[in-house]
Amino acid sequence: MPETTPRGLTRLAFGGDYNPEQWPESVWQEDVRLMREAGVTLVSVGIFSWALLEPAPGQYDFGWLDRLLDLLHANGVRVDLGTPTVAPPAWFYRAHPEALPVTAEGVRYEFGSRAAICHSNTDYRAAAAAVTTRLAERYGDHPALAMWHVHNEYGVPVSACYCDSCAAHFRRWLESAYGTVEALNEAWGTAFWGQRYAGFDEINPPRLTPTVGNPAQALDYKRFADATMRENFRMERDILHRLSPGVPVTTNFMTALSQCDSVDYWAWGREVDLVTNDHYLITDGRRTHVNLAMAADLTRSVAGGAPWLLLEHSTSGVNWQPRNPAKAPGQMARNSLAHVARGSEGALFFQWRQSRRGAEKFHSAMVPHGGTDTRVWREVVQLGAGLDALAPIRGTRTEADVAMVWDWHSWWAQSLAWRPSEDHDARERADAFYETLYDRHLTVDFAHPEADLSSYPLVVVPALYLMTQAAGRNLKAYVENGGTLVVSYFSGIVDEHDAVHEGAHPGALRDVLGLTVEEFSPLLPEQLVRVTGPDGCELSGDVWTEFVVPRGAETVGTYADGLTAGHPAITRHRLGQGTAWYVSTRLAADGLDALLGWALEDARIAPRAGLPRDVEVVRRSGASGRYLFAINHTAADAKVPLDTSGTELLTGERAAGRLSVPAGAVRVVRLDG
């Protein structure tokens, strides 16, 4: 069996993407000297190097990579070696132009960027297999090799191609999935608008049509595109497993909902030996550290709770947003250690040395254009020392308090055209629920709708439009066995084929919620509704309302105005030993906080007293002990209560009673006992 941790790494991983081919070899010696100074333990190499490794078809040049890996090994730096299959060379596209992907509008992309790949193309697959094989044969037992890194960021920027090769592949995929065209017609509802098929050979990808096409077809094409990329990953992974046994194989995910929406990471998490992730702060006016925490929690959940690895983030600003501010002093370490608190076994960056040429020359790096006499470099060296001090946490696991149900297939389905309101956004609801839990200082695991939820006292379902009957039964059993469930509007509506569940809404959730929904009543822009809650408290909502009919549930909040005035807005259903809450409007932040507060009381989760807003407290535990991370994202010093004494690992100081965390700083306490 392959290892699930980087081979030969005895400390937390620290380093980044290393692209020495952009520099003369005279710079390499300086690079490794600086790596030793910074405490670098792991670098990613070769990810975009196909044109250098195979400058002509079947002609390989490994000399430069031989010298590089030997140099890194001699200087104690481990290597995450990439297969360069995200960037085929110009000669490949000249010979196989049909390997460039085609859009749904019929436009074929050109060579000159990255990841311009039709994943159904057999010539691409053969070429990718060949270069991967040669790399594995040459470096499979190299002493510097810690892990293999297949491709790069699958799904970004292109996941789906709509060419004729993909059409033929899609037909084969559908036949394997459905068996008969009759079963497909039933699942897709092709009786609507006369779309019935007589054979699989009549089916094409969901290309440009005069108006909205078949939503079930569009949903299946998203699944097909994701599965096709995964086929290619497995092909390369299996070559590496065969020729380089015992070395873990991964590919870098982008789990943040702000960064990639085309990949089912629940499925991908089962395919890699070690889950790794790339995360970049999105400067959109939101609290970026909350998005970071959410991405880290989601990555850990995709890893099944096991430790994972942050393979890319930025030392300071990025280059691809409309506006790219620098990180504040101390923010690099704060961001890095927040990922570590939530399960990462280190922190790596894109990239080691800042590029002078190319599209990302203004993307920050560990060695910036200004060299070592810069704030960024000094913070890099300081972070390396800090991560070295945290070596005892390796192998421990982050402790979660509650769970949030999330499913990429549901997100895909809800994002298709002609839904009741374009203002309802699954990502927005997930962000809002997560932020409310974050502000209550609760650590969140994410869970698939059909996963075992029995260990969580509270489970929230912020946006699950698509839900299988099995998922509905799972949530019902969770509540009956004593769990507390919170469900937001427009959940449980359709099955896995985007067909509305038989009977009244909310379909798969009717029984557990103890209600039916007669009709959706989305609101117009800027339109608000008032909700009267317990003890006369007044909440507000927007975007969405519903005509809810309790069928066992009690009414907790009532619409005070609007079309649904007098109807339930918030309900609570006692079922078995547990309780299920439902909210049928998009509550403002204070209302959502109140709702989750009531549910937390049902779940017997006590408030986390004495913690200021934007001061994270996260715990990891394992064979080496129990650790508390306190991360202060504010401009004021903070005090964090400790339930026992311990040793702060970054300073070596003893801590007891209340832990002092300076403004913008991080403290990590190894707890006694």
Side-chain angles (χ1 to χ4, degrees):
M1 290 289 293
E3 293 292 330
T4 58
T5 57
R7 189 179 66 166
L9 199 64
T10 57
R11 295 178 290 165
L12 292 179
F14 180 56
D17 281 35
Y18 184 34
N19 299 293
E21 60 269 32
Q22 298 178 17
W23 305 91
E25 289 197 30
S26 59
V27 177
W28 297 6
Q29 292 291 338
E30 174 72 359
D31 282 335
V32 295
R33 183 186 70 79
L34 292 176
M35 287 180 190
R36 291 197 306 270
E37 180 180 333
V40 167
T41 60
L42 181 70
V43 293
S44 301
V45 170
I47 296 167
F48 294 100
S49 302
W50 196 341
L52 292 178
L53 293 168
E54 190 179 5
Q59 298 179 21
Y60 294 92
D61 178 8
F62 293 115
W64 68 273
L65 189 54
D66 290 346
R67 295 190 296 278
L68 177 67
L69 295 191
D70 290 346
L71 178 65
L72 291 168
H73 177 61
N75 284 272
V77 179
R78 309 292 297 163
V79 172
D80 167 36
L81 185 55
T83 67
T85 51
V86 69
W91 61 255
F92 172 80
Y93 287 119
R94 188 168 64 250
H96 307 288
E98 68 283 357
L100 289 161
V102 174
T103 68
E105 295 78 16
V107 177
R108 190 179 294 278
Y109 288 114
E110 278 290 346
F111 171 78
S113 180
R114 67 171 192 173
I117 296 164
C118 167
H119 282 276
S120 294
N121 184 268
T122 55
D123 294 309
Y124 166 75
R125 291 184 173 204
V131 71
T132 298
T133 298
R134 293 299 295 267
L135 281 166
E137 290 172 341
R138 192 171 189 91
Y139 301 111
D141 59 357
H142 193 284
L145 182 64
M147 53 194 269
W148 288 101
H149 180 307
V150 171
H151 203 269
N152 184 73
E153 294 178 348
Y154 280 97
V156 178
V158 178
S159 59
C161 171
Y162 297 81
C163 71
D164 289 342
S165 293
C166 286
H169 191 186
F170 184 45
R171 294 177 198 121
R172 295 192 297 272
W173 185 86
L174 290 171
E175 189 166 9
S176 176
Y178 290 102
T180 67
V181 73
E182 290 78 12
L184 178 142
N185 280 318
E186 175 65 22
W188 283 11
T190 57
F192 185 80
W193 279 359
Q195 296 171 348
R196 191 168 185 83
Y197 297 103
F200 286 102
D201 59 345
E202 296 179 352
I203 301 172
N204 278 320
R207 294 166 174 156
L208 184 65
T209 51
T211 185
V212 175
N214 188 313
Q217 177 191 21
L219 177 58
D220 265 350
Y221 205 74
K222 289 179 180 290
R223 291 170 170 145
F224 160 76
D226 178 56
T228 302
M229 291 188 294
R230 208 157 57 245
E231 284 178 18
N232 286 350
F233 168 76
R234 282 197 298 263
M235 173 194 70
E236 294 190 44
R237 178 203 63 192
D238 291 349
I239 292 170
L240 297 169
H241 279 171
R242 176 170 54 86
L243 297 175
S244 184
V247 179
V249 179
T250 191
T251 186
N252 45 339
F253 295 168
M254 297 190 76
T255 62
L257 306 186
S258 54
Q259 293 178 194
C260 183
D261 63 359
S262 59
V263 175
D264 175 7
Y265 286 116
W266 292 128
W268 282 80
R270 296 189 292 268
E271 301 290 352
V272 297
D273 299 326
L274 167 68
V275 167
T276 63
N277 195 52
D278 297 352
H279 182 265
Y280 294 97
L281 302 181
I282 304 299
T283 311
D284 59 0
R286 306 183 193 212
R287 296 156 71 200
T288 55
H289 55 279
V290 180
N291 175 274
L292 185 158
M294 183 175 178
D297 283 346
L298 187 49
T299 306
R300 181 187 68 253
S301 302
V302 166
W308 55 279
L309 180 58
L310 176 66
L311 212 51
E312 288 185 28
H313 71 315
S314 65
T315 57
S316 191
V318 297
N319 66 292
W320 37 264
Q321 298 182 87
R323 297 162 192 85
N324 298 285
K327 289 185 176 180
Q331 189 178 358
M332 177 204 307
R334 201 162 60 248
N335 290 165
S336 301
L337 296 179
H339 284 288
V340 173
R342 295 176 186 272
S344 179
E345 295 282 79
L348 282 78
F349 297 92
F350 181 86
Q351 59 181 324
W352 166 252
R353 183 179 286 274
Q354 195 166 13
S355 300
R356 291 185 56 226
R357 300 173 177 84
E360 295 186 289
K361 56 183 171 287
F362 297 118
H363 191 294
S364 61
M366 299 175 77
V367 182
H369 290 307
T372 57
D373 189 18
T374 57
R375 173 179 68 88
V376 165
W377 173 253
R378 287 187 284 272
E379 290 192 18
V380 163
V381 174
Q382 186 177 18
L383 175 60
L387 287 170
D388 193 49
L390 298 185
I393 73 163
R394 290 180 72 237
T396 61
R397 294 194 173 207
T398 301
E399 299 175 0
D401 302 299
V402 300
M404 180 181 292
V405 172
W406 178 257
D407 182 35
W408 279 274
H409 291 229
S410 178
W411 192 19
W412 297 342
Q414 190 178 300
S415 300
L416 298 173
W418 287 13
R419 296 317 188 223
S421 173
E422 66 178 15
D423 296 324
H424 171 50
D425 179 355
R427 178 198 158 191
E428 183 280 330
R429 282 294 80 190
D431 284 346
F433 271 79
Y434 183 90
E435 187 166 3
T436 304
L437 293 167
Y438 177 96
D439 283 342
R440 283 181 170 267
H441 302 285
L442 298 171
T443 302
V444 178
D445 273 350
F446 287 80
H448 187 274
E450 297 179 18
D452 180 7
L453 303 170
S454 59
S455 63
Y456 302 103
L458 175 69
V459 171
V460 298
V461 182
L464 203 64
Y465 160 76
L466 182 154
M467 183 182 290
T468 63
Q469 289 287 355
R473 290 191 295 270
N474 187 47
L475 293 177
K476 182 182 178 186
Y478 165 75
V479 173
E480 288 175 331
N481 290 321
T484 300
L485 180 71
V486 179
V487 178
S488 186
Y489 63 90
F490 205 44
S491 292
I493 307 302
V494 299
D495 67 11
E496 59 269 34
H497 303 296
D498 198 47
V500 173
H501 286 289
E502 287 190 24
H505 302 315
L509 290 169
R510 282 193 303 263
D511 292 343
V512 68
L513 296 177
L515 55 82
T516 58
V517 174
E518 289 190 351
E519 192 175 5
F520 308 131
S521 186
L523 301 178
L524 299 177
E526 311 303 325
Q527 189 175 359
L528 300 176
V529 292
R530 291 181 298 117
V531 174
T532 302
D535 301 322
C537 71
E538 191 164 287
L539 314 175
S540 67
D542 65 359
V543 172
W544 194 275
T545 62
E546 295 175 345
F547 291 93
V548 173
V549 179
R551 301 189 186 278
E554 61 179 299
T555 298
V556 176
T558 304
Y559 288 111
D561 55 16
L563 195 62
T564 54
H567 289 265
I570 302 171
T571 62
R572 180 173 181 257
H573 186 215
R574 301 175 192 271
L575 182 67
Q577 301 175 58
T579 306
W581 291 79
Y582 184 63
V583 56
S584 61
T585 186
R586 191 176 81 166
L587 291 174
D590 58 346
L592 190 55
D593 181 69
L595 169 66
L596 289 176
W598 302 329
L600 286 165
E601 289 182 13
D602 278 351
R604 296 181 176 84
I605 298 176
R608 302 290 164 85
L611 291 176
R613 189 172 192 255
D614 290 328
V615 176
E616 291 183 43
V617 175
V618 184
R619 290 170 172 80
R620 289 182 62 156
S621 61
S624 66
R626 297 170 55 239
Y627 303 87
L628 179 144
F629 286 73
I631 306 167
N632 187 352
H633 295 285
T634 77
D637 295 348
K639 298 285 189 181
V640 172
L642 295 177
D643 54 10
T644 185
S645 59
T647 301
E648 204 289 308
L649 297 180
L650 297 174
T651 63
E653 298 174 354
R654 289 290 296 171
R658 294 177 69 83
L659 172 68
S660 296
V661 187
V666 180
R667 293 292 180 260
V668 183
V669 178
R670 183 172 186 169
L671 301 171
D672 295 336

